[in-house]
Amino acid sequence: MTSQERDEPDDGTGPTTTSAERLKAFTDAVVAIAMTLLILPLMESVTDAGAEGGGVASWFGEHAEQLMSFALSFVLIATFWLANHRVFARVERTSPVLLWLTIGWMFTIVWLPVPTAMLGSMQTDAAQKLVYIGSLVLTSGMSLAIRWYLLRHPALHSVAEVRLRRGILADVITTGLFLVALALSILVPAIGYWALLLLVLVSPVHTLLWRAVGRGGRRSST
């Protein structure tokens, strides 16, 4: 290998790239395991309640917070996976950087069952909110990093540039709203995790900003 070949940047078509199919299958398996792990604390509490002679109604009453945290995290992980799946459906090749970005994203997904278990079994305080919502910020941030990398390396995929840009904007908005929700939940303890309802604003804010960006682009081109 010549020095010129060693110094040449990898544009996504070099020998270090591999097929994306194994990465997609691995990612799906990791997400499925993480979603399954969410239910384990509830399974243990059912066993404990049965051993103590408790009833079904009392179990639901005692573990209402755990049930809510399980449902919330299940939906959030499913939403993150759907977004990731839509992007990688058109990714044909992977590079070392894309592999590690995806591994980083999977790390945040696998970690989420831990703060989810904290929600139902520990006292709600600022540290708990920081760990749980902060984990969601990291997952959203990793999604943003993956889309940004793919935008910069079109040889790896067949995703339309406009679609990636729209996704990047959605990830920026989502990450921002998670941060706002985190601040609200800590500064106004009475709001708590209800601050995550701010995420319903992702779609309307995305629509408004995308239209604004489009109008700005048309003006600059005239």
Side-chain angles (χ1 to χ4, degrees):
M1 180 182 293
T2 65
S3 59
Q4 181 178 0
E5 289 174 330
R6 285 195 299 267
D7 295 337
E8 186 177 353
D10 181 12
D11 63 355
T13 60
T16 58
T17 63
T18 58
S19 172
E21 295 308 312
R22 292 184 65 183
L23 178 61
K24 295 176 188 178
F26 182 52
T27 302
D28 290 347
V30 168
V31 172
I33 293 172
M35 296 176 80
T36 303
L37 289 174
L38 292 173
I39 200 68
L40 292 183
L42 288 170
M43 296 293 293
E44 293 176 1
S45 66
V46 168
T47 302
D48 294 340
E52 296 171 1
V56 173
S58 62
W59 179 84
F60 273 101
E62 292 173 3
H63 298 280
E65 290 187 7
Q66 270 189 304
L67 289 165
M68 290 179 62
S69 62
F70 161 74
L72 175 62
S73 294
F74 190 92
V75 170
L76 286 171
I77 291 179
T79 302
F80 284 128
W81 176 80
L82 286 170
N84 181 271
H85 178 72
R86 284 194 293 267
V87 172
F88 273 83
R90 294 183 177 273
V91 174
E92 291 93 21
R93 307 286 293 174
T94 63
S95 67
V97 174
L98 183 58
L99 283 171
W100 281 109
L101 286 174
T102 306
I103 289 172
W105 179 85
M106 286 188 286
F107 176 86
T108 67
I109 293 292
V110 172
W111 163 253
L112 195 56
V114 176
T116 300
M118 294 177 181
L119 261 65
S121 58
M122 296 182 178
Q123 182 180 358
T124 301
D125 55 14
Q128 186 193 84
K129 296 169 185 175
L130 179 62
V131 172
Y132 185 77
I133 303 180
S135 299
L136 300 174
V137 171
L138 290 177
T139 304
S140 183
M142 291 306 302
S143 297
L144 172 61
I146 289 171
R147 277 200 174 98
W148 180 258
Y149 181 79
L150 290 173
L151 180 66
R152 303 289 294 178
H153 298 82
L156 294 173
H157 60 87
S158 59
V159 186
E161 180 179 339
V162 65
R163 185 174 177 182
L164 281 174
R165 291 188 180 278
R166 288 177 67 93
I168 288 171
L169 179 59
D171 283 337
V172 170
I173 295 169
T174 301
T175 305
L177 288 176
F178 274 135
L179 288 170
V180 173
L182 175 59
L184 280 176
S185 68
I186 293 176
L187 296 176
V188 188
I191 294 178
Y193 291 103
W194 292 105
L196 289 171
L197 289 176
L198 285 171
L199 291 175
V200 301
L201 297 176
V202 171
S203 182
V205 171
H206 181 271
T207 299
L208 289 173
L209 290 180
W210 186 256
R211 288 175 179 172
V213 170
R215 285 196 296 268
R218 286 193 291 271
R219 290 196 192 100
S220 63
S221 62
T222 58

